[in-house]
Amino acid sequence: LLWVLAGIVIGSWSALDFMIRGSGTPNPLDPPKLLVDRGLYSYVRNPGYVSVFFILIGETLFFRSVALAIYSVVLLIGIHLLVVLYEEPVLGRRFGDSYAEYRKRVSRWVPRSRAAQQGDEADRP
């Protein structure tokens, strides 16, 4: 249940960041008007989807369900493809160079260590 709770906290936090810092919502019909790169978004570019992953892990472990595990893998592959093939190109067009720089600095799914992030920043002119 800790996985599910962590997923709920991460998802709620990322949605609040969209509303407060981005002047929008996670809903594609009202997306953020500003690039959100603070809070959880300074660790991974997709904390909302990471929250879904955490919840699915928790549910799979709690119910000990192979079917739920298979569903989770298929869903996560679909989410990954959505992000790579649709969301990232759209965000690149919407936010331009600032999004390109953000992509270089912040990992898509797994947080980088602070040392790695600082090393990346030191390499930039």
Side-chain angles (χ1 to χ4, degrees), residues 2 7 11 13-14 18 25-27 59 65 68 80 82 86 90 95 98 118 120:
L2 289 177
W13 185 351
S14 67
F18 262 24
T25 69
N27 183 335
E59 290 175 340
S65 170
L68 188 53
H80 177 74
L82 173 71
Y86 175 73
V90 167
F95 297 114
S98 60
Q118 290 171 352
D120 289 346

Side-chain angles (χ1 to χ4, degrees), residues 7-42:
I8 291 168
V9 169
I10 291 168
S12 299
W13 185 351
S14 67
L16 281 172
D17 278 340
F18 262 24
M19 291 185 290
I20 294 168
R21 299 173 192 261
S23 299
T25 69
N27 183 335
L29 299 176
D30 182 26
K33 286 125 188 98
L34 304 170
L35 179 63
V36 179
D37 61 356
R38 303 276 190 253
L40 294 177
Y41 290 89
S42 66

Side-chain angles (χ1 to χ4, degrees), residues 15-115:
L16 281 172
D17 278 340
F18 262 24
M19 291 185 290
I20 294 168
R21 299 173 192 261
S23 299
T25 69
N27 183 335
L29 299 176
D30 182 26
K33 286 125 188 98
L34 304 170
L35 179 63
V36 179
D37 61 356
R38 303 276 190 253
L40 294 177
Y41 290 89
S42 66
Y43 296 98
V44 293
R45 295 194 307 259
N46 301 289
Y49 291 133
V50 170
S51 73
V52 172
F53 178 64
F54 274 46
I55 291 168
L56 289 171
I57 288 173
E59 290 175 340
T60 299
L61 293 172
F62 183 80
F63 292 111
R64 295 183 174 104
S65 170
V66 173
L68 188 53
I70 293 168
Y71 165 77
S72 299
V73 169
V74 171
L75 181 65
L76 293 172
I77 290 169
I79 288 171
H80 177 74
L81 292 173
L82 173 71
V83 166
V84 171
L85 299 175
Y86 175 73
E87 287 188 0
E88 289 180 350
V90 167
L91 292 170
R93 288 189 296 275
R94 182 179 303 151
F95 297 114
D97 290 341
S98 60
Y99 184 69
E101 182 61 31
Y102 174 64
R103 284 182 63 181
K104 290 178 190 173
R105 192 176 71 247
V106 179
S107 172
R108 183 183 291 133
W109 301 117
V110 179
R112 295 179 186 156
S113 71
R114 284 290 179 196

